[in-house]
Amino acid sequence: MNDFPSHTDGARLAVDIGGTFTDVALSHQGRLITAKTLTTPQAPDKGVLNGVGEAIAKAGIAASDISVIIHGTTLATNALIERRGAVTAMLTTHGHRDVIEMAQENRFEQYDINIDRPAPLTPRWLRLPVIERLNARGEILTPLDEASVRACLPTLDAEAVESVAICFLHAYANPAHEQRTAEIIADARPDLSVTLASETAPEIREYERFSTAVANAYVRPLMARYLVDLESRLKAAGFDCPFLLMTSGGGLTTVETARRFPVRLVESGPAGGAVLAAAIAREKGVRSLLSFDMGGTTAKLCLIDDCRPETARLFEVDRSYRFKKGSGLPVRIPVIDMVEIGAGGGSLASIDALKRITVGPESAGSEPGPAAYGRGGDKPAVTDADVVLGKIDPETFGGGAFRLDEAAARAAIDRTLAQPFGLPVEEAAFAMGDVVDENMASAARAHAVEQGADISARTMTAFGGAAPLHAARLAEKLGIETVIIPANAGVGSAIGFLLAPAAYEVVRSLPTTLDAFSQSAVRDVFASMAREAAPIVRAAQSGTAAGAPLKAQRRAYMRYVGQGHEIPVDVDLDAEDLKHNLRERFETAYAALYGRAIPNVPIEILTWALLLEEEQAEETDAAMAQAVSGRAVTSARTRRVFDPTDGTFVHYAVFERRALQPGDKITGPALIIEPQTTTVAPSLFDAFIDASLNIVLQRKSSL
């Protein structure tokens, strides 16, 4: 992606805070200016302002020239993983305080007797019972006992509670009791942050709804303070413009909405990368794409089909047991469906109890960082291995912002891995790299199998500071023939923020069978959801494309009566016979998934969803094909790099990306260096530059 159309008259700026680096992308008058600075974990806003200042200085503009700032952050995710959120209490229906601890009452690993479930974010003594009860239709069985609500206040005071999640049974069908309880708490303790499960996740299934509400309450004070402080510091620095947040679902929303529902931001950075990958798929006309985003702390892989990333409504934070489903903290939010593993440039290597080399999920982060950073780190990270293997030039890393210490990288690998195994340092470094590459390949294969997809038939796009270093090797392991490295790949997620639409998704549970289906009731629920979503999207559009038309995607989550899970079905409100239309669509979707529909079984709908977003042009071109018949280029500059095909060091030709032109063709092995990353084209691959200045790696056997 090289051209960025201006939605407004001024420049547009995007900031992505990662675990190691803070990335900035600035679009101004058709140009893209980028910056990459170390994240400052103790004061994230400092890293933001450092990166923003660098970007506007490069662009030669003032803060007042910025028309919108778009932000994504891992702050909410890290707070959940590191358990450093607010002291949180949960008020819940009497007799149901243990819902979030009992979970699904199953085992995510059947044969390991020592597994531990993740501990709830709020301990049992802060899960406080309230006398009330609704049935599944929202009808009152036991009226709210307001005295039992007020009886919780002394415990909130004694435990210095900062945030409260109100989670009543069946409140998705009738939120009156939760709303009244919130009023009582707000009147008695106005400084407390209050989250309602009926607002955060108004869907059936109490465990996921309660877990999501508690997670939102847990991070809400932290995120509210951060967003208020950052917004005020930006204004003090002269940025008097809309400030938008990237959501996990791939859309933009306002600070106000983000402060109310910060749990929707847990995957905001990776979502930006998926948006970029989808834009590349549209531009190139690639129908099946694998998005590979590898930064300093994690690697994210996402399937892009028909130019749209796969989406989901349930996400698990911090899967603690080998990334196994069920071992994390579930949050029910609109999210781009991807697999995320602890494999980044800062991922640390060690030897486990079985005398195997393991890499990740522990990361060196930015403080102290990999040993090569020279900031006090003494454990070997993936970046250290890349330096020792010659894939990273210590002199040009980060655009020359600081020089890497190759001797420190070698010493860390030698001490931790080479000496215990009696290996040369270079072989230990290669083992590190191959372990992390195989971890990513295994995660990609498993994710593809879960989705019923053939991964080897896909094109890969790779971005993030570490992805271009590892993309060709990962593609080789997965049997992928073509890899696209976009321009400014090192800050790919931030670029994705600039491409994201203003959007918001609303979900409502309104269980009904098709036999009892009411077309007017369905229209009413979608109209209600549109009234909720439209002001949020229009407010977000103030910084993107004010007044641009909106499009609505409507879905019903349907199943046969008696089944445990639903499948999504698109809803066409303009259909003359909506009931018949839904039946046909469900049976077609069910047969596509399971081979056949089931005759004479009643069908039910549990949940309705509306995604409202601004329309975006969907254009494709033949840039990739145009660039194939280009001119061969050579370089007199070389560098010794360990080549996995030959299993030894060979001389790679070295190219500066900014000097390459559309149509240039490079015969591998080669390194293509740019300020924020390096693309490795090993001996099995050639590279060419397409019309959009993307690097396209092509396996030689397929040329």
Side-chain angles (χ1 to χ4, degrees):
M1 301 298 299
N2 199 44
D3 298 321
F4 289 82
S6 296
H7 293 282
T8 57
D9 293 333
R12 305 172 71 242
L13 191 148
V15 185
D16 174 32
I17 299 181
T20 305
F21 287 99
T22 294
D23 299 341
V24 180
L26 191 158
S27 172
H28 178 53
Q29 296 180 347
R31 295 186 304 140
L32 183 68
I33 297 94
T34 64
K36 198 176 190 78
T37 63
L38 285 171
T39 294
T40 50
Q42 302 306 317
D45 51 347
K46 181 180 178 182
V48 170
L49 292 171
N50 290 342
V52 167
E54 181 180 333
I56 64 172
K58 286 182 180 179
I61 60 176
S64 57
D65 295 319
I66 302 296
S67 63
V68 62
I69 297 175
I70 303 167
H71 184 33
T73 175
T74 60
L75 193 61
T77 316
N78 293 342
L80 291 170
I81 293 172
E82 298 169 12
R83 301 299 174 106
R84 53 178 181 82
V87 178
T88 302
M90 172 184 169
L91 273 57
T92 191
T93 304
H94 188 275
H96 290 79
R97 67 194 295 190
D98 294 321
V99 163
I100 62 172
E101 193 155 3
M102 293 166 62
Q104 304 288 7
E105 296 187 81
N106 59 5
R107 295 175 62 82
F108 53 80
E109 178 52 66
Q110 186 171 356
Y111 300 106
D112 187 346
I113 63 173
N114 295 314
I115 62 170
D116 289 318
R117 292 189 178 279
L121 295 171
T122 181
R124 195 171 194 271
W125 63 85
L126 287 180
R127 304 198 294 265
L128 309 176
V130 172
I131 298 172
E132 68 83 42
R133 186 65 184 265
L134 306 172
N135 66 15
R137 293 182 295 276
E139 299 164 344
I140 297 175
L141 300 178
T142 302
L144 175 66
D145 182 348
E146 297 189 2
S148 70
V149 177
R150 294 187 177 91
C152 298
L153 295 175
T155 301
L156 302 184
D157 295 338
E159 297 290 341
V161 168
E162 304 168 78
S163 191
V164 175
I166 302 174
C167 307
F168 292 160
L169 208 63
H170 303 308
Y172 65 87
N174 179 1
H177 284 181
E178 285 194 358
Q179 291 170 349
R180 177 55 187 152
T181 300
E183 291 173 359
I184 294 171
I185 296 296
D187 288 343
R189 302 292 185 271
D191 293 334
L192 283 181
S193 174
V194 179
T195 291
L196 274 63
S198 56
E199 293 180 346
T200 308
E203 299 183 55
I204 202 167
R205 295 191 175 97
E206 62 270 16
Y207 168 52
E208 289 90 346
R209 183 172 69 255
F210 290 7
S211 176
T212 305
V214 171
N216 192 76
Y218 188 73
V219 299
R220 191 174 177 182
L222 171 71
M223 290 300 296
R225 287 193 298 270
Y226 168 72
L227 292 173
V228 168
D229 290 347
L230 179 57
E231 191 173 28
S232 64
R233 291 195 65 180
L234 288 169
K235 286 184 177 179
F239 295 94
D240 188 16
C241 61
F243 181 41
L244 305 179
L245 276 296
M246 186 77 183
T247 68
S248 302
L252 304 179
T253 193
T254 61
V255 171
E256 179 185 358
T257 303
R259 287 174 59 190
R260 286 184 64 204
F261 304 116
V263 73
R264 288 201 175 207
L265 307 181
V266 293
E267 286 291 280
S268 61
V275 170
L276 172 63
I280 292 170
R282 285 194 300 271
E283 182 185 78
K284 302 305 170 196
V286 178
R287 311 311 298 179
S288 297
L289 192 75
L290 173 66
S291 170
F292 169 42
D293 177 2
M294 183 179 181
T297 305
T298 58
K300 286 77 66 176
L301 299 120
C302 176
L303 303 180
I304 311 289
D305 289 310
D306 296 323
C307 306
R308 294 188 69 92
E310 295 292 326
T311 57
R313 291 166 47 248
L314 183 67
F315 175 75
E316 287 186 19
V317 179
D318 190 26
R319 286 186 178 178
S320 57
Y321 189 93
R322 303 174 187 171
F323 305 100
K324 200 171 185 68
K325 184 178 180 180
S327 65
L329 177 73
V331 290
R332 187 168 283 280
I333 57 172
V335 63
I336 290 177
D337 192 14
M338 63 183 74
V339 59
E340 181 172 358
I341 68 171
S347 295
L348 297 173
S350 61
I351 300 174
D352 68 10
L354 297 178
K355 304 301 181 183
R356 301 173 302 184
I357 294 176
T358 62
V359 182
E362 184 185 0
S363 174
S366 60
E367 295 179 0
Y373 282 15
R375 297 164 62 89
D378 59 359
K379 297 179 181 179
V382 172
T383 295
D384 297 315
D386 289 337
V387 170
V388 170
L389 296 175
K391 294 193 287 185
I392 294 176
D393 184 349
E395 302 287 347
T396 61
F397 181 80
F402 59 93
R403 188 184 187 283
L404 295 182
D405 186 344
E406 183 175 353
R410 294 181 67 88
I413 294 172
D414 183 48
R415 180 174 55 253
T416 305
L417 302 178
Q419 291 183 24
F421 285 115
L423 293 173
V425 172
E426 293 81 5
E427 289 188 21
F430 172 69
M432 276 183 63
D434 219 43
V435 165
V436 79
D437 291 341
E438 187 57 43
N439 287 346
M440 293 186 292
S442 297
R445 293 187 198 103
H447 186 58
V449 168
E450 288 175 359
Q451 303 298 323
D454 178 7
I455 204 164
S456 64
R458 293 174 177 266
T459 296
M460 179 194 293
T461 183
F463 48 86
L469 291 158
H470 293 259
R473 181 64 170 164
L474 179 60
E476 180 185 345
K477 288 177 177 289
L478 294 174
I480 290 174
E481 302 289 332
T482 305
V483 181
I484 302 171
I485 314 291
N488 298 289
V491 294
S493 289
I495 294 172
F497 296 172
L498 296 175
L499 302 170
Y504 194 74
E505 184 170 1
V506 182
V507 179
R508 291 281 185 275
S509 281
L510 182 66
T512 181
T513 63
L514 276 184
D515 293 337
F517 182 82
S518 168
Q519 189 159 316
S520 61
V522 171
R523 293 184 184 278
D524 288 345
V525 76
F526 276 116
S528 172
M529 290 192 288
R531 287 193 296 271
E532 179 179 340
I536 295 172
V537 178
R538 289 298 185 193
Q541 280 189 300
S542 65
T544 56
L550 304 181
K551 65 177 181 179
Q553 181 187 71
R554 301 176 181 89
R555 282 185 168 177
Y557 289 84
M558 306 175 66
R559 67 186 185 186
Y560 288 112
V561 171
Q563 291 184 326
H565 297 279
E566 308 83 53
I567 62 174
V569 175
D570 289 335
V571 177
D572 180 9
L573 284 185
D574 296 326
E576 184 175 343
D577 186 345
L578 183 55
K579 174 180 176 179
H580 179 71
N581 185 267
L582 280 172
R583 183 185 298 276
E584 284 190 335
R585 291 187 178 211
F586 170 74
E587 289 178 344
T588 299
Y590 193 92
L593 279 172
Y594 301 111
R596 68 181 183 92
I598 305 175
N600 305 319
V601 177
I603 298 169
E604 64 180 346
I605 308 166
L606 263 66
T607 301
W608 309 85
L610 170 71
L611 173 63
L612 198 63
E613 63 180 353
E614 62 184 356
E615 289 188 359
Q616 292 184 302
E618 295 192 2
E619 300 177 357
T620 61
D621 61 33
M624 190 184 301
Q626 292 170 5
V628 173
S629 57
R631 63 186 182 91
V633 294
T634 59
S635 173
R637 182 182 169 195
T638 63
R639 179 173 175 79
R640 287 181 72 253
V641 179
F642 189 92
D643 191 89
T645 304
D646 295 337
T648 185
F649 280 84
V650 300
H651 287 281
Y652 277 43
V654 178
F655 298 84
E656 294 288 341
R657 183 165 186 168
R658 62 175 176 265
L660 297 174
Q661 300 297 320
D664 286 353
K665 183 176 179 180
I666 297 168
T667 300
L671 298 180
I672 303 173
I673 296 175
E674 56 188 298
Q676 283 108 18
T677 190
T678 295
T679 298
V680 177
S683 56
L684 284 181
F685 285 81
D686 287 340
F688 60 85
I689 309 301
D690 71 14
S692 297
L693 295 177
N694 299 311
I695 299 171
V696 181
L697 301 179
Q698 194 80 40
R699 194 188 290 250
K700 289 181 178 180
S701 60
S702 65
L703 289 175

